[in-house]
């Protein structure tokens, strides 16, 4: 499993929008500048997020994008499942499986890893990512 730029950028953009939500509608151009992502590429990501009701958009002067729900309700797993073809650690766990699944002696290893990945990614929310980005909160001795 390798997370693409689309998935990584979707997370960054959603965190950015969550952090700037109190300011109202957030223009695409501002997000693109802060995140150093081309507006064209960002548009394709936002299209996916709007289509799946994670964001709403408003055109025209004073327009932009907003989250449709509270940051605590968005999980990293749900976002990545929208932007990635698959989060499965091996192809045999993807839809359809493989012809050797019934006699595969390693299948349980990949199923266990898949479960750990899903549970981990589904346990982290946008709110968690916002908190993790606060400077000075992560110093450990």
């Amino acid at each position: 499993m390798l997370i693409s730029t689309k998935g990584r950028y979707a997370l960054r953009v959603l965190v950015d929008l969550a952090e700037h939500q109190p300011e109202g509608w957030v223009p695409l151009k501002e997000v693109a500048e802060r995140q150093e992502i081309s507006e064209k590429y960002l548009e394709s990501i936002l299209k996916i997020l709007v289509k799946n009701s994670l964001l709403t958009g408003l055109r025209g002067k004073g327009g932009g994008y907003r989250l449709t729900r509270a940051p605590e309700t968005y999980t990293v797993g749900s976002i990545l499942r929208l932007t990635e073809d698959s989060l499965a650690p091996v192809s045999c766990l993807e839809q359809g499986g493989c012809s050797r699944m019934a006699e595969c002696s390693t299948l349980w290893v990949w199923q266990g890893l898949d479960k750990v990945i899903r549970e981990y990614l589904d346990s982290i929310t946008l709110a968690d990512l916002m908190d993790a980005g606060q400077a000075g909160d992560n110093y450990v001795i």
Side-chain angles (χ1 to χ4, degrees):
M1 173 187 75
L2 184 65
I3 305 298
S4 69
T5 55
K6 188 186 298 184
R8 295 191 325 265
Y9 288 0
L11 289 173
R12 285 176 35 196
V13 166
L14 287 168
V15 171
D16 186 289
L17 289 170
E19 291 172 341
H20 292 89
Q21 187 95 343
E23 300 165 19
W25 295 97
V26 182
L28 170 85
K29 184 176 184 170
E30 290 179 13
V31 177
E33 287 174 3
R34 280 191 298 266
Q35 295 302 317
E36 298 177 348
I37 302 171
S38 82
E39 287 184 50
K40 187 87 169 157
Y41 192 45
L42 188 55
E43 284 174 357
S44 69
I45 295 169
L46 292 178
K47 188 175 185 177
I48 294 167
L49 301 175
V50 168
K51 180 182 175 189
N52 288 280
S53 301
L54 274 69
L55 296 177
T56 186
L58 179 67
R59 294 177 187 245
K61 186 174 171 66
Y65 292 89
R66 295 181 56 91
L67 300 179
T68 57
R69 306 184 312 264
E72 299 80 24
T73 66
Y74 294 78
T75 67
V76 170
S78 65
I79 296 161
L80 291 178
R81 279 188 285 279
L82 290 176
T83 58
E84 300 301 315
D85 290 332
S86 173
L87 295 179
V90 291
S91 61
C92 63
L93 294 181
E94 293 174 351
Q95 223 171 24
C98 89
S99 61
R100 294 192 32 83
M101 286 183 91
E103 58 271 346
C104 181
S105 60
T106 63
L107 181 61
W108 66 272
V109 173
W110 309 128
Q111 289 172 327
L113 179 58
D114 185 53
K115 181 180 179 199
V116 169
I117 290 169
R118 281 185 284 109
E119 288 175 354
Y120 177 70
L121 294 176
D122 287 338
S123 73
I124 303 168
T125 67
L126 279 185
D128 296 328
L129 295 176
M130 291 169 63
D131 292 342
Q134 301 300 318
D137 289 351
N138 56 0
Y139 185 75
V140 178
I141 295 178

